[in-house]
Structures are given as C-alpha cells and as structure tokens.
Amino acid sequence: MKKVILGSLLPVFMAGSFATYAAAPDAVSVDGGKINFTGSVVAAPCAVDNSSDGQTVSLGQIATNQLVSKGATGSAVPFTIKLIGCDLSPQAGAVDDTSDYTKASITFSGSTVDATTLQVTANGAGQQPAKNVGIQIMQANKAVNVDGSASTETQNMIAGVNEIPFTATYVATDASVTAGSANSSVNFKINYE
C-alpha cells in the first residue's frame, strides 16, 4: 500500500520541483576580437614549414670581452629552414610543372652592416643597441650574404621533407664592441633549380 501511495505521489513531487526552477536567461553575444590568417599558395615543389616561417633563433648573451677584435665571433647556434611536401615526380596535367626542380638554395635579405652581416637593433624604446657588433648566418662554416645579393649554396632535395641547415652567430664589426640589445631579423626566399 505504501508503494502505491508513494508511486502515485512521485509525479506530484516532480512537477512541484520543476516549477521552482526559473527560465534560462536569454543568450548574450559579445565581440571577442579578431584572428588573422596569413599564408600563400605557391607553384613550387615544396612548401616552407610553419616552424621555419617566423622562427626565433636565440643567440643568448655574449660578453664584450669575447668580441675584442674585428671578426671575432660568439658561439654558433644552429637552425634550419624546413621544406615539406616536396614532390619531385612528374605531375600529369599539372598547371605548374614543378617536377624538374631537384635543388634548393636560400636568399636572405635584411638590414645590413655589410653583405654578410646583419645590423643589430634594440628591443624597444629607451634601450640602446649594442655597437660594433652584427649577426652572421653561416652555411658550412662560411658566412652567407644577407643583403639579398646572392643565394646560399644549393642543396639536393629529396621527396618529402628537406631541412637546409644554417648557424647564426654574433660577430664583432670593429674592435670596440659596446653592450646593448643585439636583435635583428631577416627575410628569406627559396630558390629552386
């Protein structure tokens, strides 16, 4: 008997409990900001990996007493330019035939002290750049041009992923290096042959 009474009262209790809940508030939308997408479609046998475009190569700190004479350098820091999706096979019916390319080189272009040395700048307002020091990019222990006038040595490509290795280092452009921020940036182009 108790089960029958409780069973018959259950819908009454449930209806009463639902009535105590308020209606949900109206939805609200607010402006969240903006997202920028950048990139390009290229008629080339490979694409530049996202890790190579916009990468930061940290040269760290170097003491002025390590750059006491013109041409003195700091420790070399390795970095690569990674090419992905390289397809060197003939493309039947392709609009842009990229299968004839089997080698790649890089052309660097930035603000320079000379053809092989990037000019350094300060981090921001109120900071001073280091004086008489620059940054060199090396390929096989040889400074490459960073003024856009010449490309690096070519490297043979394989299908799939290719990494073109480089190192970067601080270099004294004169004997009297002074302390300060020592940052730079460089643009690069891929040349296929």
Side-chain angles (χ1 to χ4, degrees):
M1 172 92 172
K2 288 183 184 180
K3 289 182 185 178
V4 173
I5 293 172
L6 286 175
S8 64
L9 291 176
L10 187 59
V12 174
F13 289 134
M14 289 180 67
S17 64
F18 287 127
T20 59
Y21 288 106
D26 292 337
V28 176
S29 295
V30 295
D31 187 17
K34 176 178 166 182
I35 298 173
N36 295 309
F37 298 95
T38 62
S40 60
V41 176
V42 295
C46 308
V48 176
D49 186 64
N50 283 343
S51 64
S52 294
D53 183 13
Q55 70 179 300
T56 298
V57 178
S58 178
L59 297 179
Q61 293 182 342
I62 186 168
T64 56
N65 63 12
Q66 292 180 272
L67 300 171
V68 293
S69 62
K70 184 176 181 176
T73 61
S75 298
V77 177
F79 72 98
T80 63
I81 294 178
K82 186 176 183 180
L83 305 175
I84 59 172
C86 298
D87 187 356
L88 310 178
S89 61
Q91 305 292 312
V95 176
D96 298 304
D97 186 12
T98 60
S99 62
D100 292 338
Y101 301 111
T102 58
K103 298 180 181 193
S105 64
I106 308 294
T107 302
F108 291 105
S109 178
S111 296
T112 61
V113 174
D114 58 46
T116 61
T117 308
L118 292 167
Q119 181 178 355
V120 298
T121 61
N123 280 338
Q127 295 188 353
Q128 295 295 316
K131 301 271 193 265
N132 299 320
V133 65
I135 296 172
Q136 287 186 332
I137 297 174
M138 314 286 277
Q139 182 182 41
N141 296 320
K142 180 183 174 198
V144 301
N145 284 40
V146 290
D147 64 353
S149 65
S151 62
T152 64
E153 294 294 320
T154 58
Q155 177 175 311
N156 290 329
M157 294 189 310
I158 60 170
V161 176
N162 291 270
E163 292 190 26
I164 303 174
F166 297 100
T167 59
T169 185
Y170 286 122
V171 61
T173 59
D174 201 320
S176 55
V177 172
T178 61
S181 295
N183 305 308
S184 192
S185 62
V186 68
N187 296 314
F188 67 92
K189 292 190 307 187
I190 313 295
N191 310 302
Y192 295 103
E193 299 177 21

